[in-house]
Amino acid sequence: MSSADASFAAATDDRELVRAARDGDRAAYGRLYERYAPMVHGVLLSRIAPEHVDDLLQDVFLKAMTQLRSLRDDDHFGGWIVAIARNRAADHYRRTREDATPQEQLEAVPSAERSSASAEAAVVLAALQSLPEAYRETLTLRLVEGMTGPEIAALTGLTHDSVRVNLHRGMKQLRERLGQGEPAKESHD
Amino acid sequence: MTEAIHPYLWDKSGAVDADVERLESLMSGLRYHPQPLAWERGIAQPKSRRFRVWRWTAVVAAAAMVLVAAALSIQSRFTWRPGEPWRVSALAGNPSIDKQAFSGAARLPIGQVLETDSQSRARLHVASLGIIDVEPGTRLRLVATTAKRHGLALDYGTISAHMWAPPFSLSIETESAAVFDLGCAFTLHAERGGYGTVHVTSGWIEFESADRRVLVPQGAEAVTRAGIGPGTPYFSDATPEFKLAIAQFDSHPDDAGARAAAVDRILSTARMRDAFTLLNLFHEVTPDARPQVLDRMAALVPIPSGFTRDDLLAMRQPALAAYWGAVHAALHLDNPKSWIMRWKDVLGD
């Protein structure tokens, strides 16, 4: 079991934290925040420019705090907060009309400039953001936030099979968009 | 069927996939860095970043000098002394503020309750931005009034608002959803228990709960329900069959069978003008129902050139934004941001 898995296993049940937070217990809500902030960060980063992510992350959790009463199933805080994050990101996109689409951003970086690490990271992020929704989110959690497939499944509520498919197909499409193609050999589980 | 996947990509086990490891390393600078939750931003300010203030500032700065006087005049209209009680006047009968009946003019401070019985009506002056007529059998509270943001809580009853102000100047909370005005006129009805309706007569409103948000344009309405929040918006002149099917869809968020049957009825009774509703529905249905909705929608409003059916089914943001624009153009919907042009609708009377 990884240390991350251990921390998940040791963590107080979401349901209890949600109930306590709904009763005004800030410490309980703080625990939920600590647990889910990396996931929400990844979900936002898969949709909007990095410089806006931290601000929206705060916005998502503060908004959710005021609306805990509307959470219908206390066991599903993860899926609920992700839905809020997606809405916030879509709202941000609609209002700001970020200057270029991910594909345009990807194409705008000249090949010669793709060599520096930061420019290369920007290219990879643009490629990630141009993937279909399910793939870009899961793959961002894996490659950027450093979560494993089982951790992603536990936090998002997706099944292991769904996460597995998203990672596999997403990685394949990411390689294509980055012009790397498929690796010569791939092992299977 | 399980997809074949490199073990390292799945759970970082097995031999390291050099390609994945390189991407992890490259992207690590963008990873989440723990930061405390900014409690102090709290409830009072969640809308403060909804605008790009600098854009407005740039527009004003670029305007010709002849507009400066007008801009200053408008600015004074939109600035309010924080905490100042709102003016209220009785239109009929004897409304009350914190159980004290009044006739003629009165003031509504923050935290106090304005109530009308079955015989009384009142008119609230929303800072200096507009008016709200309070119909019989209504109870509401003033919860916030700052320089540029104002908030009411409607416990139950019916109100009609006429606002000429920048978007999000006014919010009205009900038990199951909140209305944010985008410079508009609308009627909001709320019942004890969470059911409510909003009908927009000019401009746009945003209707939202924690995890749902819909935009409702002029001529359209939407329903909110306890535990569900705002439903799918539809035009008020839609057929009864269409409206009933929308209600059935919105009322059964967890019943796939009922939703599928409702979608069939919605699509079979949709008119050209209902493409707006279908576009909202497209985001709400399960992925396997999206092709059905998209095909009907595309028959009403063609997919914009440069984008494909697959782009939309994959929910790609540029394609969705383009299609949103196409539907707006086809239905002649105005821009939600063009509130300043609606002064005749909301001030004309």
Side-chain angles (χ1 to χ4, degrees), chain B residues 10 45 88 90 96 131 142 147 151-152 154 161 182 187 194 200-201 237 241 307-308 336 346:
Chain B
W10 170 242
Q45 305 164 17
V88 54
S96 66
I131 56 168
L142 177 58
L152 289 174
L154 176 61
L182 303 182
T187 298
V200 180
T201 51
D237 60 2
E241 294 79 12
F307 297 97
T308 65
V346 293

Side-chain angles (χ1 to χ4, degrees), chain A residues 26 29 33 37-38 41 45 50 52 54-55 57-59 61-63 65-67 70 72 80 84 87-88 91 93-97 101 117 120-121 124-125 132-133 142-146 148-150 160-161 163-165 167-169 171 174-175 177 180 187-189, chain B residues 1-12 17 19-20 22-24 26-28 30-33 35-39 41-43 46-47 49-52 55 168 173 175 180 206 208-213 215 227-228 253-254 314-318 321 324 337:
Chain A
R26 282 193 171 194
Y29 194 73
Y33 171 72
H41 186 271
L45 189 64
H52 300 305
D54 285 348
D55 197 37
L57 175 74
Q58 296 279 336
D59 207 27
F61 277 93
L62 291 169
K63 177 78 179 175
M65 181 179 66
T66 67
Q67 300 286 349
S70 70
R72 282 186 289 166
W80 182 71
I84 295 175
N87 269 335
R88 269 283 179 263
D91 187 43
Y93 186 90
R94 196 172 66 230
R95 286 168 198 241
T96 59
R97 299 270 181 193
T101 65
E120 202 174 349
V124 174
L125 182 62
E133 182 171 317
R142 173 66 186 85
L143 295 179
V144 182
E145 304 301 342
T148 65
H160 278 212
D161 279 349
V163 173
R164 198 185 302 272
V165 167
L167 286 176
H168 179 66
R169 294 183 185 172
M171 193 64 204
L174 181 66
R175 283 183 169 121
R177 288 178 197 216
Q180 297 173 350
S187 57
H188 300 240
D189 63 354
Chain B
M1 194 172 98
T2 302
E3 294 270 337
I5 185 172
H6 194 296
Y8 185 78
L9 179 60
W10 170 242
D11 61 4
K12 305 184 185 179
D17 179 325
D19 200 21
V20 172
R22 191 184 70 82
L23 288 171
E24 286 179 300
L26 190 65
M27 303 303 283
S28 62
L30 294 173
R31 184 170 298 172
Y32 171 71
H33 296 290
Q35 52 186 299
L37 188 56
W39 299 101
R41 277 168 49 167
I43 307 171
K47 308 301 173 193
R49 292 175 312 288
R50 286 179 179 270
F51 314 112
R52 290 241 170 141
R55 285 194 178 174
F168 302 105
E173 300 272 349
E175 195 171 327
F180 293 90
E206 187 175 281
E208 73 169 58
S209 59
D211 53 354
R212 273 186 63 74
R213 172 186 293 108
L215 286 168
I228 298 175
D254 301 321
M315 307 300 279
R316 292 193 178 107
Q317 201 62 246
W324 172 264
K337 293 178 180 173

Side-chain angles (χ1 to χ4, degrees), chain A residues 54-184:
Chain A
D54 285 348
D55 197 37
L56 255 67
L57 175 74
Q58 296 279 336
D59 207 27
V60 166
F61 277 93
L62 291 169
K63 177 78 179 175
M65 181 179 66
T66 67
Q67 300 286 349
L68 271 177
R69 278 185 310 167
S70 70
L71 172 57
R72 282 186 289 166
D73 185 343
D74 292 349
D75 288 334
H76 290 159
F77 181 83
W80 182 71
I81 196 86
V82 161
I84 295 175
R86 289 178 187 137
N87 269 335
R88 269 283 179 263
D91 187 43
H92 173 86
Y93 186 90
R94 196 172 66 230
R95 286 168 198 241
T96 59
R97 299 270 181 193
E98 283 186 352
D99 298 331
T101 65
Q103 189 61 37
E104 288 166 347
Q105 291 169 20
L106 181 59
E107 289 162 0
V109 181
S111 305
E113 292 181 16
R114 295 187 187 189
S115 53
S116 81
S118 59
E120 202 174 349
V123 169
V124 174
L125 182 62
L128 270 173
Q129 291 180 337
S130 72
L131 296 176
E133 182 171 317
Y135 302 163
R136 69 182 168 199
E137 213 169 78
T138 310
L139 208 54
T140 303
L141 293 176
R142 173 66 186 85
L143 295 179
V144 182
E145 304 301 342
M147 297 176 188
T148 65
E151 286 169 351
I152 295 168
L155 283 170
T156 60
L158 292 171
T159 64
H160 278 212
D161 279 349
S162 293
V163 173
R164 198 185 302 272
V165 167
N166 291 345
L167 286 176
H168 179 66
R169 294 183 185 172
M171 193 64 204
K172 181 170 182 285
Q173 289 197 16
L174 181 66
R175 283 183 169 121
E176 288 167 1
R177 288 178 197 216
L178 293 173
Q180 297 173 350
E182 280 292 279

Side-chain angles (χ1 to χ4, degrees), chain B:
Chain B
M1 194 172 98
T2 302
E3 294 270 337
I5 185 172
H6 194 296
Y8 185 78
L9 179 60
W10 170 242
D11 61 4
K12 305 184 185 179
S13 66
V16 170
D17 179 325
D19 200 21
V20 172
E21 187 184 43
R22 191 184 70 82
L23 288 171
E24 286 179 300
S25 169
L26 190 65
M27 303 303 283
S28 62
L30 294 173
R31 184 170 298 172
Y32 171 71
H33 296 290
Q35 52 186 299
L37 188 56
W39 299 101
E40 71 280 3
R41 277 168 49 167
I43 307 171
Q45 305 164 17
K47 308 301 173 193
S48 62
R49 292 175 312 288
R50 286 179 179 270
F51 314 112
R52 290 241 170 141
V53 174
W54 63 269
R55 285 194 178 174
W56 286 102
T57 307
V59 168
V60 171
M65 287 299 290
V66 72
L67 295 178
V68 170
L72 289 174
S73 170
I74 290 172
Q75 180 66 26
S76 69
R77 173 187 169 87
F78 298 143
T79 301
W80 184 252
R81 197 173 68 205
E84 185 173 341
W86 288 7
R87 287 185 296 132
V88 54
S89 51
L91 296 179
N94 295 110
S96 66
I97 292 177
D98 267 16
K99 305 287 186 191
Q100 299 294 312
F102 69 94
S103 58
R107 291 274 179 170
L108 180 65
I110 291 177
Q112 293 201 358
V113 174
L114 171 65
E115 226 168 339
T116 55
D117 60 20
S118 61
Q119 305 297 318
S120 58
R121 296 177 67 232
R123 173 165 290 180
L124 263 175
H125 294 265
V126 184
S128 52
L129 303 175
I131 56 168
I132 291 177
D133 284 343
V134 183
E135 301 301 329
T138 297
R139 186 173 75 187
L140 58 79
R141 282 171 290 121
L142 177 58
V143 295
T145 184
T146 66
K148 293 184 178 175
R149 304 273 184 273
H150 311 277
L152 289 174
L154 176 61
D155 295 334
Y156 56 80
T158 304
I159 60 176
S160 297
H162 290 71
M163 296 288 294
W164 188 61
F168 302 105
S169 296
L170 173 68
S171 64
I172 304 173
E173 300 272 349
T174 72
E175 195 171 327
S176 61
V179 168
F180 293 90
D181 96 281
L182 303 182
C184 57
F186 61 90
T187 298
L188 175 63
H189 172 74
E191 296 177 7
R192 293 182 179 92
Y195 181 86
T197 60
V198 64
H199 177 212
V200 180
T201 51
S202 174
W204 293 75
I205 61 107
E206 187 175 281
F207 207 16
E208 73 169 58
S209 59
D211 53 354
R212 273 186 63 74
R213 172 186 293 108
V214 295
L215 286 168
V216 187
Q218 177 177 335
E221 55 194 67
V223 172
T224 181
R225 296 173 174 83
I228 298 175
T232 314
Y234 54 86
F235 283 105
S236 304
D237 60 2
T239 64
E241 294 79 12
F242 185 81
K243 291 180 183 177
L244 179 61
I246 291 291
Q248 287 169 339
F249 178 85
D250 289 340
S251 304
H252 298 96
D254 301 321
D255 184 342
R259 282 206 142 188
V263 167
D264 286 343
R265 283 193 294 277
I266 290 168
L267 299 182
S268 66
T269 55
R271 313 157 301 162
M272 158 78 175
R273 191 163 150 79
D274 298 322
F276 176 77
T277 299
L278 300 192
L279 185 53
N280 280 271
L281 191 69
F282 183 64
H283 290 265
E284 293 302 320
V285 296
T286 54
D288 60 329
R290 281 185 195 143
Q292 181 190 8
V293 176
L294 177 57
D295 290 344
R296 176 63 181 142
M297 197 160 63
L300 299 172
V301 177
I303 296 170
S305 61
F307 297 97
T308 65
R309 184 175 182 272
D310 287 344
D311 289 333
L312 287 162
L313 290 175
M315 307 300 279
R316 292 193 178 107
Q317 201 62 246
L320 292 171
Y323 199 59
W324 172 264
V327 169
H328 276 227
L331 302 186
H332 306 293
L333 300 176
D334 69 358
N335 187 330
K337 293 178 180 173
S338 60
W339 62 275
I340 206 160
M341 306 302 290
R342 299 186 200 114
W343 63 274
K344 270 188 181 174
D345 291 343
V346 293
L347 302 179
D349 57 351

